[in-house]
């Protein structure tokens, strides 16, 4: 990979878990009633045909990982578990009162924070409480994030009994120096133990999350981590770029200096060498930063054009409506977004007043909806098209003009009404999506908002 190309395209840019991205939401044009109206509309259109998704944010962690940019609360006080579970179930009951029929749940994802911070009894109460008001879709998929240091066999067995078949374990890197810097001391033996348990119990998709570009991380660390990972043969892998965003309030990214973090060509080499190692071990690239074995459902979804991406990440199936429960969770009705309050005390207070704990949101315009489809196609299929009239927008010529430079650099192929990302362009898919991002073009950020694209 050319160093000059890396320097040319290594700019701040969104990860596009949504379009518009959160900093570009028009909050003044959004209201609680808009959210309720679009929620009901989307539910009526999709509940019977495809079901809905639930993302449940469980924010507590016993210790702070200094690579993390997520919303979390650090505590060793497990007495707070029950109060939080009761609050989440209260929020869900408020949603169910708004809906005109029983929700059919296609997907549940428990994220964090650390979901396995919670006891098996409280997790069981949570899931059983959800289904007091809902039923399961025929082909449901439930997943959760497990911390290898505190996920017990009982956690895995209990969640399996409740219908969970997919689990992802946060690995990051096995280097002791890197682990010390990011405050995540996690021996290989711990990861191996929970991976073997999950496989013995019957989980059909086991994932490991790896990160490149961490402080003090070197090429040998990445290769060693992938070699150790290969010995456990997880079904899918996330190979994320570390997002260095120390300016975000509440961020735990401290304990190391900017110069300790690999940059530009050094960081890109970690990815390229790591990716080649994954290829050699039978993993195929599925969307941005994700890899899977041919036997995994994510690979099949990519091959059949059914791969989807939302605030929960990549999934093998799509639902139009995703409801986020818990502090700071984001919901998506397709027509609008809504985010919950970020402070736990404020979250509790609003629920005690029988109010959905919504902080802000965005009503998508017709232009937003069209651009959103293009960005989703690029992120999920590495191609997009405007052959249909409904996929065309007036600024397409402007977008193509900007992409001509990337075509010269070998990142994509432009035909009459289509764009296809090349193998060389896959690491730059965020940059390609930025050409479609009219909101970003119309108002460049005045302060740091996004991590670097490479």
């Amino acid at each position: 990979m050319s160093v000059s190309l890396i320097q040319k395209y290594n700019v701040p840019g969104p990860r596009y878990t949504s379009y518009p991205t959160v900093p570009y939401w028009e909050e003044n044009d959004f209201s609680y009633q808009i959210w309720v109206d679009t929620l009901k509309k989307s539910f009526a259109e999709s509940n019977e045909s495809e079901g809905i998704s639930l993302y449940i944010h469980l924010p507590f962690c016993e210790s702070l990982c200094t690579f993390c940019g997520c919303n979390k609360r650090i505590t060793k006080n497990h007495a707070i578990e029950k109060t939080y579970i009761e609050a989440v179930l209260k929020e869900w009951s408020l949603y169910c009162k708004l809906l005109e029929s029983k929700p059919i749940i296609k997907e549940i994802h428990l994220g964090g924070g650390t979901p396995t911070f919670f006891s098996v009894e409280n997790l069981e109460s949570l899931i059983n409480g959800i289904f007091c008001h809902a039923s399961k879709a025929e082909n449901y998929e439930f997943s959760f994030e497990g911390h290898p240091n505190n996920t017990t066999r009982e956690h895995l067995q209990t969640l399996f009994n409740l219908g969970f078949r997919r689990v992802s374990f946060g690995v990051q890197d096995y280097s002791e120096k890197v682990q010390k810097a990011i405050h995540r001391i996690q021996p290989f033996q711990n990861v191996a133990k929970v991976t073997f348990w999950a496989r013995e119990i019957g989980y059909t998709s086991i994932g490991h999350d790896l990160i490149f570009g961490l402080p003090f991380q070197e090429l040998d660390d990445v290769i060693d981590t992938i070699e150790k990972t290969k010995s456990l043969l997880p079904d899918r892998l996330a190979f994320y770029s570390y997002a260095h965003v120390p300016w975000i309030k509440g961020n735990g990214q401290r304990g190391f200096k900017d110069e300790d973090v690999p940059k530009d060509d050094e960081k890109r080499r970690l990815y390229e060498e790591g990716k080649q190692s994954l290829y050699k071990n039978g993993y195929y690239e599925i969307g941005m930063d994700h890899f899977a074995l041919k036997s995994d459902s994510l690979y099949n979804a990519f091959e059949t054009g059914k791969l989807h991406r939302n605030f929960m990440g990549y999934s093998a199936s799509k639902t139009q409506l995703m409801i986020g429960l818990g502090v700071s969770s984001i919901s998506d009705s397709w027509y609008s977004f809504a985010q919950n309050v970020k402070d736990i005390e404020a979250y509790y207070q609003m629920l005690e007043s029988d109010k959905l704990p919504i902080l802000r949101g965005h009503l998508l315009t017709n232009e937003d909806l069209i651009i959103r489809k293009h960005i989703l196609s690029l992120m999920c299929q590495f191609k997009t098209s405007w052959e249909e009239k409904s996929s065309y927008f007036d600024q397409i010529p402007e977008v193509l003009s900007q992409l001509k430079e990337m075509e010269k650099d070998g990142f994509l192929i432009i035909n009459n009404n289509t764009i296809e990302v090349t193998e060389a362009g896959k690491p730059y898919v965020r940059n390609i999506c930025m050409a479609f991002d009219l909101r970003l073009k119309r108002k460049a950020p005045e302060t740091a908002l996004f991590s670097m694209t490479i």
Side-chain angles (χ1 to χ4, degrees):
M1 183 64 68
S2 167
V3 174
S4 60
L5 286 179
I6 292 170
Q7 292 172 343
K8 178 179 179 179
Y9 289 104
N10 192 23
V11 296
R15 288 180 179 250
Y16 292 112
T17 48
S18 73
Y19 182 83
T21 55
V22 175
Y24 286 90
W25 287 3
E26 294 181 356
E27 297 178 34
N28 292 335
D29 296 332
F30 176 82
S31 68
Y32 172 84
Q33 194 57 49
I34 284 173
W35 169 242
V36 170
D37 291 345
T38 61
L39 168 80
K40 290 181 175 180
K41 177 182 178 181
S42 188
F43 182 78
E45 290 174 347
S46 65
N47 184 53
E48 293 293 333
S49 60
E50 63 184 22
I52 71 169
S53 296
L54 287 186
Y55 171 75
I56 305 175
H57 188 64
L58 302 173
F60 302 107
C61 301
E62 286 196 344
S63 64
L64 178 68
C65 301
T66 57
F67 67 89
C68 179
C70 300
N71 181 285
K72 64 272 179 186
R73 176 71 64 89
I74 309 302
T75 180
K76 293 184 183 294
N77 176 20
H78 286 264
I80 48 83
E81 292 183 31
K82 188 176 180 182
T83 302
Y84 188 80
I85 295 296
E86 289 173 349
V88 169
L89 291 175
K90 172 69 178 291
E91 183 184 3
W92 175 234
S93 71
L94 292 176
Y95 269 110
C96 291
K97 287 176 184 176
L98 291 171
L99 305 174
E100 294 181 359
S101 59
K102 197 172 189 178
I104 302 170
I105 299 179
K106 178 74 174 291
E107 292 180 310
I108 293 178
H109 183 71
L110 307 181
T114 306
T116 47
F117 171 96
F118 287 77
S119 70
V120 291
E121 293 80 11
N122 283 322
L123 290 174
E124 191 170 29
S125 295
L126 171 64
I127 303 304
N128 287 336
I130 293 292
F131 284 103
C132 285
H133 305 284
S135 60
K136 295 176 184 176
E138 186 176 345
N139 297 312
Y140 64 86
E141 184 175 276
F142 299 167
S143 59
F144 73 97
E145 298 166 13
H147 192 318
N149 285 355
N150 66 15
T151 299
T152 64
R153 188 175 183 117
E154 192 178 5
H155 275 119
L156 290 161
Q157 187 66 61
T158 299
L159 288 168
F160 182 87
N161 294 346
L162 290 166
F164 286 74
R165 295 294 180 270
R166 186 162 70 81
V167 57
S168 60
F169 296 114
V171 174
Q172 326 328 332
D173 188 284
Y174 287 117
S175 161
E176 290 184 12
K177 185 176 182 180
V178 173
Q179 288 188 359
K180 186 176 179 181
I182 64 175
H183 201 233
R184 177 87 171 209
I185 308 302
Q186 185 171 272
F188 171 74
Q189 290 81 358
N190 289 10
V191 181
K193 181 174 62 177
V194 293
T195 299
F196 290 143
W197 281 345
R199 193 163 284 133
E200 287 172 0
I201 288 168
Y203 281 80
T204 54
S205 183
I206 301 167
H208 286 186
D209 294 345
L210 312 180
I211 297 180
F212 67 92
L214 290 166
F216 305 110
Q217 192 180 49
E218 298 178 0
L219 181 58
D220 286 346
D221 299 325
V222 171
I223 298 303
D224 178 65
T225 293
I226 291 175
E227 284 300 305
K228 285 185 169 69
T229 300
K230 179 191 72 171
S231 70
L232 302 178
L233 207 66
D235 301 279
R236 62 177 71 171
L237 287 165
F239 190 37
Y240 293 118
S241 168
Y242 167 59
H244 191 54
V245 286
W247 56 84
I248 294 179
K249 185 178 180 181
N251 196 308
Q253 294 178 350
R254 54 183 182 267
F256 49 86
K257 302 173 184 176
D258 287 352
E259 54 264 34
D260 297 327
V261 179
K263 296 180 181 64
D264 296 338
D265 56 317
E266 181 186 2
K267 183 178 180 182
R268 196 73 230 159
R269 189 179 175 215
L270 298 179
Y271 174 77
E272 292 297 337
E273 295 284 349
K275 180 171 76 170
Q276 292 306 315
S277 182
L278 290 172
Y279 285 167
K280 290 174 186 175
N281 289 305
Y283 290 94
Y284 293 81
E285 192 164 16
I286 308 295
M288 184 181 73
D289 302 334
H290 283 69
F291 298 80
L293 298 175
K294 273 192 172 183
S295 55
D296 190 73
S297 61
L298 211 61
Y299 176 85
N300 181 259
F302 178 74
E303 288 294 295
T304 56
K306 295 179 180 178
L307 189 68
H308 184 56
R309 179 176 169 85
N310 55 28
F311 290 105
M312 297 190 292
Y314 283 106
S315 65
S317 61
K318 169 188 172 293
T319 64
Q320 180 171 301
L321 175 60
M322 186 194 82
I323 295 176
L325 303 175
V327 64
S328 78
S329 286
I330 298 178
S331 299
D332 177 2
S333 71
W334 184 259
Y335 304 107
S336 71
F337 302 123
Q339 183 174 27
N340 283 352
V341 292
K342 297 181 179 182
D343 179 73
I344 292 176
E345 286 70 30
Y347 175 73
Y348 290 158
Q349 188 174 9
M350 291 184 74
L351 288 169
E352 286 172 5
S353 302
D354 291 332
K355 296 178 182 176
L356 287 179
I358 293 169
L359 171 68
R360 58 180 175 174
H362 174 83
L363 177 66
L364 281 80
T365 65
N366 288 333
E367 180 186 85
D368 289 338
L369 289 167
I370 295 171
I371 293 172
R372 180 184 192 182
K373 288 180 181 178
H374 286 295
I375 288 177
L376 269 175
S377 293
L378 288 165
M379 286 280 176
C380 295
Q381 298 299 324
F382 294 124
K383 59 186 177 182
T384 194
S385 168
W386 52 96
E387 290 177 329
E388 296 179 8
K389 190 175 180 181
S390 61
S391 297
Y392 185 85
F393 58 100
D394 290 341
Q395 288 78 15
I396 282 284
E398 176 189 332
V399 170
L400 293 178
S401 176
Q402 185 174 346
L403 289 175
K404 284 289 183 184
E405 185 72 18
M406 294 188 191
E407 187 177 38
K408 288 179 185 177
D409 289 329
F411 294 167
L412 48 88
I413 298 168
I414 302 174
N415 293 315
N416 290 334
N417 299 304
T418 63
I419 293 169
E420 188 161 354
V421 181
T422 65
E423 187 66 27
K426 287 179 180 179
Y428 298 90
V429 70
R430 286 168 70 183
N431 300 78
I432 295 169
C433 289
M434 286 169 68
F436 284 82
D437 191 339
L438 299 187
R439 289 184 177 272
L440 183 64
K441 290 179 182 178
R442 289 167 184 158
K443 188 180 179 183
E446 296 176 358
T447 58
L449 291 178
F450 306 113
S451 62
M452 304 300 279
T453 56
I454 298 173

